[in-house]
Amino acid sequence: MYVPEHFSAPSTEAMLQLVRQHPLGTLFTAGESGLDANHIPFELAAEQGALGALHAHVARNNPVWTDVQNGDEVLVVFRGEEAYISPNWYPSKHEHHKQVPTWNYKVVHAHGRITIRDDERYVRGLVAKLTRAHEASEPKPWKMTDAPKEYLASMMLAIVGIEIEITRLTGKFKLSQNKAPEDIQSAATVLIERGREALGEAMRDSVHVKKG
């Protein structure tokens, strides 16, 4: 991924935080059948290894888990906030007209080595963790024990676990850092007014980083 220095993610923790907040990753593999991409929710284990590990499961009928070998290099892409940016949102455009449209976004590429975990205990534990994490905000969180035992057992047999040891993280937080502070602030305000608060606030924060 091409990352100009001014768009580089500020820290490893910032990249891991994006993964936590946007856990649906795109897993890219280059197995025996060639290039493939699968969209999978991941559980981040930040404490595992130097950069952390990603845990997920796929349907047993999905050929991805038989198409790769343990230790193969893979890439998982996590995308955060994104939005179109109009040059009309920059005060400087109305002064000299030397602005063009662009797209702002936050994205993290996690490179790693994959291990297939065709292990019912692993899969059951992973599903429990994912369920607790994503049901936590529900008024009455769903629990695995809510499903009939036999039904749940059949569901566990229908999926296969995958584990990815993260070996390299690359983050691109494109937040108009190459623009003047007043232009960034103005575009951020428009985004916030239009309901894109997360990206707008991230742009405002980037101004403080530049000043610091």
Side-chain angles (χ1 to χ4, degrees):
M1 175 171 60
Y2 170 60
V3 186
E5 185 176 354
H6 49 270
F7 293 152
S8 181
S11 66
T12 297
E13 179 52 38
M15 290 186 280
L16 293 177
Q17 185 62 18
L18 185 146
V19 173
R20 293 186 190 97
Q21 294 174 343
H22 303 276
L24 182 67
T26 304
L27 170 64
F28 293 93
T29 57
E32 295 179 3
S33 301
L35 287 173
D36 194 12
N38 284 269
H39 308 279
I40 305 169
F42 284 90
E43 171 79 10
L44 172 66
E47 73 289 347
Q48 186 178 337
L51 292 172
L54 299 169
H55 299 267
H57 63 272
V58 297
R60 187 171 292 277
N61 289 336
N62 187 334
V64 65
W65 73 277
T66 56
D67 201 40
V68 296
Q69 301 293 324
N70 287 341
D72 280 357
E73 293 186 0
V74 298
L75 169 66
V76 186
V77 175
F78 296 93
R79 196 184 76 174
E81 302 82 18
E82 50 82 23
Y84 171 80
I85 306 295
S86 170
N88 288 322
W89 301 349
Y90 298 136
S92 63
K93 181 268 182 187
H94 304 282
E95 298 173 7
H96 52 63
H97 303 285
K98 295 179 180 179
Q99 295 288 359
V100 294
T102 191
W103 207 284
N104 279 359
Y105 55 88
K106 296 171 68 176
V107 66
V108 168
H109 287 194
H111 299 258
R113 289 186 288 267
I114 193 168
T115 299
I116 304 304
R117 301 291 300 270
D118 191 7
D119 175 349
E120 193 270 345
R121 183 177 179 182
Y122 172 88
V123 169
R124 184 176 288 270
L126 174 60
V127 172
K129 288 180 182 178
L130 287 169
T131 300
R132 284 195 297 270
H134 300 294
E135 286 284 331
S137 61
E138 292 295 316
K140 186 179 180 182
W142 181 87
K143 305 182 298 297
M144 292 177 69
T145 52
D146 289 348
K149 186 178 295 186
E150 297 77 11
Y151 170 78
L152 192 63
S154 68
M155 291 294 99
M156 294 300 103
L157 292 174
I159 57 180
V160 177
I162 59 174
E163 178 179 344
I164 299 170
E165 175 196 2
I166 301 174
T167 57
R168 179 161 59 95
L169 285 169
T170 305
K172 186 173 184 179
F173 290 12
K174 185 174 179 292
L175 304 169
S176 296
Q177 297 98 318
N178 56 333
K179 302 296 183 183
E182 56 270 23
D183 284 338
I184 301 174
Q185 293 280 17
S186 178
T189 297
V190 174
L191 286 174
I192 292 170
E193 290 174 347
R194 297 186 179 190
R196 311 301 289 269
E197 292 89 352
L199 186 61
E201 293 296 346
M203 290 172 63
R204 284 182 172 175
D205 290 343
S206 75
V207 175
H208 299 311
V209 171
K210 287 174 66 174
K211 289 180 178 179

